[in-house]
């Protein structure tokens, strides 16, 4: 049996490895190990800490997620007022800002720190003796809300600063945001589960950070970028804002790599144009680099006089609506999508945009061959925002909802309390294939090699008609090998992947079933409260409503799903 000293050494070593790999992945965006290897390290640490609870510490990677949801957020008064930035909407307004700065300082010999202005939620992190003590939102600038539990779930934020050159108190300011790809993935899942979609990444980040249950926040892919620091205990920081960001990077905080220190109006304008043309970055802010000069310029009631956010022009374009495509989701929801003449927006060629539902089609008063305005700005997702009715042809026909399913021809259904039209034929090929694709997806069974194209083909060939058929493919091995564009090696790899997928986490199994309104978050709640799965078979609506985070609509959906005997038997053999 290992001594306590050796166990503690092993725990410390694991913590250092995990935080190192967090830094590689979330700060440097350059991981050295796979997700699987990372998960093994975390499981080993969790096991050792559970067996030796006296060695648990607040800065351990296992303590990033709190156990209990909060009842409400507590208010917190900031040590220093957190200001918002004034905006410059065009080059003229930016030059006005620059002229005022030159005039107030009576010099043009000024350096500016130019950096991306991330579109997220401003937060304040207070470290005492290197340990994260409290985190809060900006709020009204003077009073915010305590979100320490949720901030700890963001792995790019250090729980402990392992450096010697830090003050007793360090206050770090930054932005919590969500990357575009993670936003699109989150909205796709929410759409599949008929949950309200987030309008843009900023709303998604803010909504995720203000969850009372930190377990929900932890499952959202949030990022953090630092943009400032202060302290009430000492002030030995560099007098250059740019160099202060370098210092934050040394301490382990992510900072923008796109920042530049520029001195002339021409250089700043050119830099803005470069970013605007690429459209890969968000609007950026311009700050007087010298901290002393910042103090001379001072503040207005809400904004600093030494900084401004110069916005990009919204990416909009007029184009011609050619068609509206009606697609059928895995839960039968009919989604209209606008198909239009291709346009270039924010560096991308766009030819289609979701219309979400038929209430939106009605709001736009959309007709075929209409001239429409399409936008793709901070929204990320292309959106039809307007119809130019003056350009409408007199004979243009309005876009009307279909009466029958475009795939199987079944009469469509719309409940009185829902916006969506729905196909209620459970045998509809679109619903079956959509359910199969969800079942094998990365966050469910994660069957590598069995992607959308292969699901489509195996369905058409008659090899897969339901979940259970996936696990019977091994019986058809020779038939599969004989299919065009397949060989023995590729089929063997696929069958191995199917076999390996059987070792699935319980919550992922629940999620894979595709129960309406049940995303990953609700699946985890069910896994935490109803194990083994047999407990779900005779579930009552009342027992579901007793769980924090499950409301009436979701409870009814889960209850109805397991009430159907056909849904209780998925042989995985």
């Amino acid at each position: 049996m290992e001594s306590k000293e050796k166990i503690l050494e092993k725990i410390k070593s694991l913590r250092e490895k995990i935080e190192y790999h967090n830094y590689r992945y979330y700060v440097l965006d350059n991981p050295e190990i796979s997700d699987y290897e990372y998960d093994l390290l975390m499981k080993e640490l969790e096991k050792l800490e559970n067996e030796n609870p006296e060695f648990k510490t607040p800065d351990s990677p296992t303590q990033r997620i709190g156990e209990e949801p909060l009842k409400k957020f507590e208010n917190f008064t900031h040590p220093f007022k957190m200001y918002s930035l004034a905006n410059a909407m065009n080059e003229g307004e930016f030059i006005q800002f620059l002229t005022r700065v030159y005039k107030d300082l009576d010099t043009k010999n000024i350096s500016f720190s130019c950096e991306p202005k991330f579109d997220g939620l401003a937060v304040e992190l207070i470290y005492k003796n290197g340990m994260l003590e409290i985190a809060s939102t900006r709020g009204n600038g003077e009073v915010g809300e305590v979100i320490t539990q949720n901030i700890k779930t963001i792995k790019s934020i250090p729980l402990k600063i392992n450096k010697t050159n830090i003050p007793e108190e360090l206050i770090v300011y930054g932005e919590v945001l969500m990357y575009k790809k993670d936003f699109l993935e989150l909205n796709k899942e929410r759409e599949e589960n008929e949950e309200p979609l987030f309008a843009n990444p900023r709303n998604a980040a803010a909504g995720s950070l203000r969850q009372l249950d930190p377990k929900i926040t932890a499952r959202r892919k949030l990022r953090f970028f630092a943009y400032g620091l202060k302290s009430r205990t000492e002030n030995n920081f560099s007098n250059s804002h740019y160099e202060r960001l370098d210092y934050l990077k040394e301490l382990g905080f992510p900072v923008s790599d796109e920042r530049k220190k520029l001195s002339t109006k021409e250089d700043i304008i050119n830099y803005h144009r470069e970013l605007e043309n690429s459209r890969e970055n968000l609007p950026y802010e311009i700050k007087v680099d010298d901290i002393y000069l910042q103090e001379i310029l001072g503040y207005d009631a809400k904004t600093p006089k030494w900084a401004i956010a110069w916005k990009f022009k919204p990416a909009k374009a007029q184009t011609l609506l050619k068609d509206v495509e009606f697609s059928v989701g895995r839960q039968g929801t009919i989604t209209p999508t606008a198909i239009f003449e291709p346009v270039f927006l924010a560096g991308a060629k766009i030819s289609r945009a979701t219309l979400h539902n038929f209430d939106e089609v009605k709001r736009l008063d959309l007709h075929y061959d209409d001239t429409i305005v399409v936008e793709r700005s901070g929204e990320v997702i292309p959106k039809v925002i307007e119809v130019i009715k003056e350009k409408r042809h007199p004979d243009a026909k309005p876009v009307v909802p279909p009466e029958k399913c475009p795939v199987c021809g079944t009469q469509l259904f719309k409940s009185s309390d829902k916006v969506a039209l729905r196909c209620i034929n459970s045998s509809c090929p679109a619903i079956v294939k959509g359910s199969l694709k969800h079942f094998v997806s990365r966050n469910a069974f994660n069957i590598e090699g069995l992607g959308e194209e292969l699901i489509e083909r195996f369905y058409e060939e008659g090899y897969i008609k339901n979940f259970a058929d996936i696990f019977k493919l091994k019986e058809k091995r020779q038939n599969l090998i004989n299919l065009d564009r397949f060989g023995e090696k590729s089929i063997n790899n696929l069958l191995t992947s199917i076999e390996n997928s059987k070792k699935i986490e319980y919550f992922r199994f629940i999620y894979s079933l595709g129960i309406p309104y049940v995303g990953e978050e609700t699946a985890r709640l069910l896994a935490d409260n109803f194990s083994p799965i047999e407990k779900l078979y005779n579930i009552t609506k009342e027992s579901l409503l007793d769980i924090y985070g499950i409301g009436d609509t979701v409870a009814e959906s889960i209850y109805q799903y397991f009430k159907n005997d056909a849904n209780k038997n998925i042989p995985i053999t």
Side-chain angles (χ1 to χ4, degrees), residues 506-571:
Y506 180 35
F507 88 90
R508 294 192 185 281
F509 176 78
I510 295 173
Y511 173 70
S512 75
L513 301 177
I515 305 168
Y517 306 114
V518 176
E520 279 192 75
E521 294 160 11
T522 305
R524 285 180 186 268
L525 290 176
L526 293 176
D528 290 343
N529 289 275
F530 301 99
S531 180
I533 196 169
E534 283 74 20
K535 288 188 177 181
L536 284 171
Y537 292 167
N538 300 307
I539 197 84
T540 64
K541 190 174 175 182
E542 290 71 24
S543 63
L544 288 164
L545 290 172
D546 285 339
I547 300 171
Y548 177 87
I550 294 183
D552 191 72
T553 301
V554 179
E556 179 66 25
S557 177
I558 296 166
Y559 170 71
Q560 291 296 338
Y561 183 88
F562 287 105
K563 190 177 175 182
N564 184 344
D565 289 338
N567 293 328
K568 297 179 182 179
N569 185 28
I570 300 178

Side-chain angles (χ1 to χ4, degrees), residues 290-310:
D290 191 292
I291 304 299
Y292 174 69
L293 296 181
Q294 289 183 7
E295 292 171 356
I296 292 176
L297 288 167
Y299 300 83
D300 287 326
K302 294 182 179 179
T303 63
K305 294 180 180 179
W306 42 264
I308 198 163
W310 186 2

Side-chain angles (χ1 to χ4, degrees), residues 67-114:
E67 291 299 320
E68 296 298 326
L70 298 171
K71 300 298 181 186
K72 65 175 184 176
F73 291 112
E74 300 292 335
N75 287 342
F76 177 74
T77 302
H78 301 302
F80 302 96
K81 185 172 180 178
M82 292 179 66
Y83 290 86
S84 57
L85 289 181
N87 293 327
M89 305 308 295
N90 52 52
E91 187 175 312
E93 291 183 5
F94 162 68
I95 291 174
Q96 287 176 11
F97 160 77
L98 209 59
T99 302
R100 178 177 55 77
V101 168
Y102 290 152
K103 180 181 177 182
D104 290 350
L105 294 175
D106 195 25
T107 179
K108 290 188 176 182
N109 187 24
I110 304 169
S111 292
F112 293 87
S113 178
C114 304

Side-chain angles (χ1 to χ4, degrees), residues 32 42 95 102 143 212 265 313 462 474 487 490 519-520 536:
E32 290 184 346
M42 279 294 291
I95 291 174
Y102 290 152
V143 178
L212 291 171
K265 174 182 71 176
K313 298 172 187 174
K474 59 187 177 183
S490 60
E520 279 192 75
L536 284 171

Side-chain angles (χ1 to χ4, degrees), residues 189 192-193 330 433-445 467 510-515 518:
E189 180 189 328
E192 287 178 348
N193 295 310
R330 65 178 174 84
K433 287 187 283 188
S435 298
L436 290 168
K437 291 169 188 176
H438 175 77
F439 188 80
V440 304
S441 65
R442 183 169 59 86
N443 293 331
F445 267 80
F467 299 153
I510 295 173
Y511 173 70
S512 75
L513 301 177
I515 305 168
V518 176

Side-chain angles (χ1 to χ4, degrees), residues 397-549:
K397 295 180 179 179
V399 176
V400 296
E403 294 181 356
K404 294 184 177 180
C405 174
V407 174
C408 70
T410 301
Q411 190 74 29
L412 296 177
F413 170 79
K414 181 180 180 181
S415 60
S416 57
D417 61 335
K418 300 293 178 187
V419 171
L421 270 177
R422 186 190 303 278
C423 173
I424 55 174
N425 173 19
S426 60
S427 299
C428 173
I431 295 175
V432 174
K433 287 187 283 188
S435 298
L436 290 168
K437 291 169 188 176
H438 175 77
F439 188 80
V440 304
S441 65
R442 183 169 59 86
N443 293 331
F445 267 80
N446 191 24
I447 300 178
E448 293 182 14
L450 193 55
E452 293 191 10
E453 186 179 339
L454 212 51
I455 288 284
E456 293 273 355
R457 185 169 183 189
F458 284 178
Y459 178 87
E460 298 302 330
E461 296 281 354
Y463 292 128
I464 298 178
K465 294 293 184 182
N466 54 51
F467 299 153
D469 286 344
I470 294 170
F471 301 98
K472 296 176 183 176
L473 283 175
K474 59 187 177 183
E475 300 169 9
K476 300 178 174 62
R477 178 176 173 276
Q478 196 56 49
N479 301 71
L480 299 177
I481 291 173
N482 292 334
L483 287 173
D484 288 342
R485 294 186 289 118
F486 284 99
E488 188 169 357
K489 184 178 179 180
S490 60
I491 293 301
N492 286 343
N493 288 341
L494 173 61
L495 296 178
T496 299
S497 182
I498 292 171
E499 191 66 26
N500 291 339
S501 75
K502 295 176 183 178
K503 300 170 186 175
I504 187 173
E505 291 177 272
Y506 180 35
F507 88 90
R508 294 192 185 281
F509 176 78
I510 295 173
Y511 173 70
S512 75
L513 301 177
I515 305 168
Y517 306 114
V518 176
E520 279 192 75
E521 294 160 11
T522 305
R524 285 180 186 268
L525 290 176
L526 293 176
D528 290 343
N529 289 275
F530 301 99
S531 180
I533 196 169
E534 283 74 20
K535 288 188 177 181
L536 284 171
Y537 292 167
N538 300 307
I539 197 84
T540 64
K541 190 174 175 182
E542 290 71 24
S543 63
L544 288 164
L545 290 172
D546 285 339
I547 300 171
Y548 177 87

